[in-house]
Amino acid sequence: MTAPVCTSASAAAAPARQTIPHPRLAPAATSLYPSFASYVRARHPALLRTARSLTANPSDAEDLLQTALAKTYVAWERIEDHRALDGYVRRALLNTRTSQWRRRRVDEFVCDELPEPEPRSGADDPAERQALRDAMWRAILRLPARQRAMVVLRYYEDLSEAQTAELLGVSVGTVKSAVSRALGKLREDPELGLAR
């Protein structure tokens, strides 16, 4: 997961860290361990395919393979069975990739001013909307059962007064008066007054 971070221009001017040169290209590798150089020349395409299966980006795969080969180069004298080199390098690839997964990658972009998010107004804040919804439901639950049913049918189910009256088996006038009383109680509810 990549998280962009903005740094100041002075921090970006710091020298970049040095990377280990690719062992296949390093002259020291050919002079100290000619068998290592020949191994890399022979097995590089197959090992690169393995690295590409571990990463989504071909450039990251090349970096991953370079790191694994550098670890193999450092341990070259300690590796007793050179027939198992592919397994050793694959294990180094996997361990390196696992270490990268564990560390969160942060990309840094140079900018003069750090961006600040625009403050949200209360009406646009999802947490505020949810708090108001919760307070409304608690207030509706405090209404008498008949008024609660009429308010839910009228305003949450979007039924007309006639449909609500027919569903509850009462007159339209009863629905109008009960809903009016319920809305009055909701306007006076202290919890809703705090939430607004």
Side-chain angles (χ1 to χ4, degrees):
M1 182 163 254
T2 303
V5 174
C6 188
T7 59
S8 66
S10 61
R17 78 182 161 108
Q18 294 181 342
T19 59
I20 299 169
H22 194 288
R24 189 171 73 162
L25 304 175
T30 57
S31 63
L32 291 177
Y33 301 119
S35 59
F36 177 78
S38 62
Y39 169 75
V40 170
R41 274 192 297 277
R43 299 300 298 155
H44 186 268
L47 295 172
L48 186 57
R49 281 193 300 274
T50 303
R52 284 190 177 155
S53 70
L54 295 172
T55 63
N57 186 337
S59 298
D60 290 342
E62 291 174 6
D63 290 344
L64 179 64
L65 179 57
Q66 178 181 352
T67 304
L69 288 174
K71 290 178 180 180
T72 305
Y73 178 76
V74 169
W76 191 254
E77 289 180 334
R78 294 187 314 248
I79 300 173
E80 294 175 8
D81 186 7
H82 281 241
R83 291 174 298 181
L85 282 173
D86 282 355
Y88 185 91
V89 175
R90 284 190 178 104
R91 175 51 60 185
L93 283 167
L94 189 59
N95 290 344
T96 303
R97 186 64 181 142
T98 302
S99 296
Q100 291 172 349
W101 286 331
R102 288 183 179 146
R103 286 191 307 263
R104 293 193 72 159
R105 183 174 168 201
V106 178
D107 289 337
E108 296 184 3
F109 301 98
V110 178
C111 60
D112 292 331
E113 290 184 29
L114 294 176
E116 294 294 330
E118 293 293 323
R120 291 181 151 199
S121 65
D124 293 338
D125 187 9
E128 292 294 326
R129 284 196 310 265
Q130 186 60 45
L132 183 58
R133 255 187 237 116
D134 292 344
M136 178 61 78
W137 272 113
R138 284 192 299 273
I140 289 172
L141 289 174
R142 287 192 288 271
L143 292 173
R146 190 170 175 175
Q147 289 179 0
R148 181 172 57 240
M150 291 181 187
V151 167
V152 168
L153 290 172
R154 281 286 290 126
Y155 297 105
Y156 284 92
E157 296 296 323
D158 204 24
L159 297 181
S160 67
E161 291 169 343
Q163 291 169 323
T164 303
E166 183 181 337
L167 190 64
L168 294 176
V170 295
S171 68
V172 174
T174 304
V175 171
K176 287 182 178 181
S177 63
V179 167
S180 177
R181 284 193 301 276
L183 292 177
K185 288 179 183 177
L186 291 175
R187 282 187 203 100
E188 295 171 1
D189 190 285
E191 190 177 356
L192 285 178
L194 293 173
R196 278 183 268 180

